[in-house]
Structures are given as structure tokens and as C-alpha cells.
Amino acid sequence: MRPTPTPIPVPQSQLPDPRRWWALCVLGLAQLMILLDSTIVNVALPSMQRQLGMADGDRPWVVTSYTVAFGGLLLLAGRIADHAGRKRVFMSGLLGFALASAAGGVAPTAQVLFAARAVQGAFAALLAASALALVATTFTDPRERRKAIAVFGALGGAGGSLGVVLGGLLTQWAGWRWCLLVNVPIALLALLGSLWTPCDRARRPSGRVDVAGAVLGCGGLTTVVYGCSRAEAQGWTSPSVLGALAGGMALLMAFAWWQTRAATPLLPPRLLRDRRRVAALLAGGALMMAQLSISLFLTYYLQTVLGWSAVASGLGFLPISVVTTATATQLGTRLLPRLGPRVMMTAGLSLAACGLFQFTLLTSDSSYAANVLPALVTFSVGNGGSFLAIMTSATADVPAQDSGIASASVNSAQQMGGSIGSAAFNTVAASAAAAFHGGTRAAAVHGFTTAIWVPLAVLLLAAAATATLAGTRSSRRTRPGAPTEVPAT
């Protein structure tokens, strides 16, 4: 009889931290708050304008000041998180976001409100970059990481839908200031909870932060996002918009050149040599473009065409969160290891495009249950099916010391896609509505159903790109500290 072999004990340092799921709750709460804040003020804009005496041309700055700071500073925020420590940056981001929200909530003038929103966006960039990086480094087991990323993303998606509902409720019952003040207890609760999360033991990069790269990269992103935001009101042919877009692209081209020569680049070129990661960035930008286009479409359609209240319209968005969450956590986590990122991203983007096609068939006589809801479900299944593959591919096989910048890159791609997409959607919708001969409501519906072809085409192009780029992985050795990668097909 052969003796039973004595099991080799696993070193304590290699055992999963029992607090990792608690950490996911805290990180998910912060992600929910960030996306909650991106939509919660939309319903309150008319009230803000009346009370603070804003001009019509100044009102968009309530949103623009946040999105420009958030999208423009993501790359720098990611590198700061890598150098200073992701948990430390995450906690600093929570505290700063709470203070900026409080300042915006008590703002006596529009200028103070704009400044507070810009500071909110800056700290939101720190939170977004460090939170996803902490998820990737805290969950070392591939199976657990897939579940964690699915839950993390689902909570963020729920924040966008919840923001519309909560914004309507707070504006109606408590006043617009509470649309900002509500962030204070959420941020402080997450800050308190982060005291019991695992320590960030991931190795940090050597050298200094690439200051020149930060100026070029963040300046380029900020200028492009600003140009896109102004295009909604001034048009794409406006000299100021064209100048901003041209200047931003020039800065980004200079940034790309500098990253190949800098001793410690802000965005290491090795991260973009992986074709699958590039495919994930393209897919993430396309999907965010589609999500924001649907949000703009439905906000108008439910309130103006169907005559729903702001609160009811917010509830009409909930199927997106519910179906996306269920698909990502229940279906995506099971299919991704079997089918691989290429199949999941390509199929998910294609299915999401089918959902957008259903939106093109809406008329002013369509109903929510028979026409809008099926389109939302179709899009959400594709959204949930591709989301997990996008996030996993964007952060997989990344050295731990680069997890912050890798997380920031996928967030930057999403912000760029969202900014360009929303501006293009509004411009096409306005032009198509103006050229339509018919009633005002029918013209507006025609404009939106025409504009939805823009994100639809982008989704199909992104699906073709993922089918081509995500098929093979670039040959390179995995550096120490890199998370385990999901198998590709």
C-alpha cells in the first residue's frame, strides 16, 4: 500500500486575501458613484439654470466641465496610481470627490459650480483608473477575476441608469443641489469601507512620471473631448471646433512619437503591441458611443414622444442595467473561457448593432413594450456579452506595475468614443430633423432614427476589427507580476 503523499502547504503570501470580495463591494460602489454623477445632473439642468441665472450657452458647461477633466486626465491618473500606490490614490480620489461634490452642492454662482464640476472630473479620473487596476491586481485567480470584472462593470452600468431616476426624484422632491450632495455620503461610506480592503502590494514602476508625455497626452485628450463637446452646439464646421480637434490630434500624434523615445513613457508602447488589447480598446470606445447614443435617444423619446415623466423615463432605462448585468455575470463568465475574447467581442458587438437597428424602426406611434423594450433587451445582451471580454482583454497579461495605466487606457478609449459619438449623434439628428418635412414630433423622431445609424455603423466596424485583431496574441514574454490571461481563440 502506497503511503498518502503529504500535501505541500501553500505559503500564506500566496493565499487569496479573504477581504477581496469586500474590496470589490467598495470598488464597485465608487464605480457606481462615478457613472451616477455623469447622468444625475442632466435632469436638473433647467433648475440649475433658473436658480443660478445661467445663459443658455453656459448651461452645457455643467456637463462639459466634468467630462473634459475626466476624459483628459485619465492617462495621467493611471500613471499616478501606478507610482503612488493604487489604494492610496483610490482613497484620495474618494475624499477629493466628496469635497468637490459638497462645493458644487452649495455653489452660489454658476462659475463656482463649473469649477467644482471640473474638480469632480479630475478626482473621478483618479478613482476610475485606480479602481479597475485594484480589481485586476486583487483577484489573481482568472475565474474569480472574470466574475469580479463582470460585477464591477455591472455596478457601473447601473449607476448610469440610476442617475437618471435619482436625478428626477431629487430635483422634484429635494432640489437640484442634492444631485451633487448625494455623492458626499456615498464617497465617505466607500472611504470608510476602503480602510478594511487588502493592501496594494503590487510592484510599482521605477523612474519618474513622464511629465512631457502627461502634458502631450492629457492635453491632446482634453482638447479633443472639448472640441467634441462644443460641436454639439456650434457644429462640426465651426472654426473653434475644427481648431480644437486639429490641435488635439496634433498633440496626440506628438504624444505617440514621444512615447517611443521617453525613458519612462506614460503609456508604454509594449502595452499596445498586443493586438487583442488594441481590439478591446476599439470595441470599448464603440460600445460607449452606442450607449450614450441610446441614452440621448431614449431621454427624448420617452419624455417627448411617449409623454413620460422624468422619473418614469429613468425607470424605462432599467432593463439595460438588469439585462446587461445578468448577461455579463451569468452568461459571459461561463462562455468567455470556452469561446475566447475574439468570439465574445465580435458576437457581442454584432448583437448590440442589431439592437440599434431595431431603434431605427421606431416611429412616433411606437410603444415602449412592443418596440422599445425588445430593442433594449437585444442591445443589452450584446453589451453584457462583449463587456466582460473587453475589460478582461484590456487588462490581461499586464505587469502589475502597469495595471493603473492599462486601466486608464480602456477608460480613455471609452471617454473618447462617448464624446465623439454623442456629438456626432446630436449633429446628425439635428440636421436630419431640420430636413424632414412633417410635424415637429415626427421630424425629431426621424432625426434620431437617422442618427442611430452612426453608432450602428461604428459597432459593425469594431466587430470586424475585433474579428481580425483579437484572433492572435502578439508574441512576447510575459513580464513578472503579470496577471494570468484568458485564453484566446
Side-chain angles (χ1 to χ4, degrees):
M1 184 174 179
R2 301 176 64 181
T4 304
T6 304
I8 301 175
V10 179
Q12 189 68 26
S13 59
Q14 298 181 13
L15 291 175
D17 195 301
R19 298 171 295 172
R20 62 193 183 282
W21 295 108
W22 169 254
L24 179 62
C25 295
V26 175
L27 297 171
L29 181 62
Q31 178 73 352
L32 184 147
M33 179 183 66
I34 294 172
L35 293 181
L36 175 79
D37 202 71
S38 65
T39 57
I40 194 172
V41 300
N42 293 346
V43 180
L45 285 177
S47 299
M48 293 178 178
Q49 183 178 11
R50 287 193 301 270
Q51 187 166 343
L52 297 181
M54 297 182 201
D56 289 339
D58 293 336
R59 185 177 62 184
W61 279 104
V62 178
V63 178
T64 302
S65 56
Y66 179 87
T67 56
V68 168
F70 181 39
L73 296 176
L74 273 167
L75 287 180
L76 179 59
R79 214 30 152 178
I80 290 175
D82 287 332
H83 279 268
R86 296 147 198 91
K87 182 176 178 179
R88 180 182 301 173
V89 169
F90 177 74
M91 296 179 69
S92 301
L94 287 172
L95 181 59
F97 197 88
L99 293 175
S101 298
V106 299
T109 64
Q111 288 69 30
V112 174
L113 178 60
F114 299 155
R117 290 286 289 168
V119 176
Q120 269 189 311
F123 282 106
L126 291 175
L127 284 174
S130 57
L132 182 56
L134 285 170
V135 172
T137 56
T138 300
F139 292 88
T140 55
D141 178 74
R143 184 176 180 180
E144 287 191 347
R145 189 184 301 117
R146 287 192 294 271
K147 293 181 179 179
I149 290 178
V151 173
F152 178 80
L155 288 173
S161 299
L162 182 61
V164 181
V165 180
L166 192 59
L169 292 173
L170 290 175
T171 302
Q172 182 175 344
W173 293 343
W176 67 264
R177 295 185 182 276
W178 278 98
C179 291
L180 296 169
L181 294 175
V182 70
N183 293 318
V184 177
I186 298 176
L188 294 181
L189 182 62
L191 181 62
L192 181 63
S194 63
L195 297 175
W196 287 275
T197 58
C199 297
D200 177 25
R201 295 189 175 91
R203 192 173 63 172
R204 301 179 186 178
S206 57
R208 299 180 179 179
V209 175
D210 179 15
V211 177
V215 172
L216 292 173
C218 295
L221 288 173
T222 300
T223 307
V224 169
V225 173
Y226 169 78
C228 291
S229 65
R230 301 306 296 165
E232 298 182 29
Q234 300 178 7
W236 291 96
T237 58
S238 168
S240 61
V241 172
L242 291 176
L245 294 178
M249 293 305 298
L251 287 173
L252 290 178
M253 291 174 63
F255 169 74
W257 172 83
W258 173 249
Q259 294 309 281
T260 62
R261 289 159 176 78
T264 55
L266 185 72
L267 179 61
R270 64 179 178 273
L271 295 180
L272 300 181
R273 294 192 185 108
D274 189 335
R275 294 180 179 180
R276 188 171 54 189
R277 182 170 296 112
V278 174
L281 296 180
L282 293 174
L287 203 58
M288 182 58 71
M289 178 184 292
Q291 289 175 351
L292 289 185
S293 297
I294 289 178
S295 177
L296 293 168
F297 191 136
L298 283 186
T299 299
Y300 172 85
Y301 191 86
L302 296 180
Q303 294 188 35
T304 305
V305 177
L306 299 185
W308 290 17
S309 66
V311 176
S313 299
L315 294 175
F317 279 86
L318 290 183
I320 298 180
S321 299
V322 174
V323 177
T324 298
T325 301
T327 304
T329 57
Q330 302 303 317
L331 190 62
T333 54
R334 291 176 171 82
L335 293 182
L336 182 59
R338 301 177 183 178
L339 302 180
R342 178 176 63 171
V343 174
M344 293 296 291
M345 282 191 285
T346 304
L349 292 173
S350 300
L351 191 58
C354 291
L356 294 190
F357 176 75
Q358 291 176 268
F359 279 111
T360 67
L361 305 177
L362 293 181
T363 67
S364 55
D365 297 323
S366 300
S367 68
Y368 179 84
N371 305 103
V372 176
L373 184 58
L376 286 179
V377 171
T378 304
F379 174 81
S380 300
V381 172
N383 186 22
S386 58
F387 167 81
L388 181 58
I390 291 170
M391 289 299 179
T392 302
S393 298
T395 57
D397 200 22
V398 174
Q401 64 268 26
D402 290 333
S403 59
I405 191 63
S407 303
S409 65
V410 68
N411 277 296
S412 295
Q414 290 176 325
Q415 285 299 307
M416 288 285 289
S419 298
I420 296 173
S422 60
F425 181 87
N426 279 335
T427 303
V428 174
S431 300
F436 184 80
H437 300 290
T440 304
R441 192 172 68 167
V445 173
H446 171 74
F448 283 119
T449 54
T450 301
I452 207 71
W453 283 98
V454 175
L456 194 160
V458 172
L459 280 180
L460 293 178
L461 290 174
T466 57
T468 304
L469 296 176
T472 57
R473 187 180 70 184
S474 302
S475 59
R476 68 195 188 287
R477 296 179 60 186
T478 302
R479 296 181 57 182
T484 306
E485 194 168 7
V486 177
T489 56

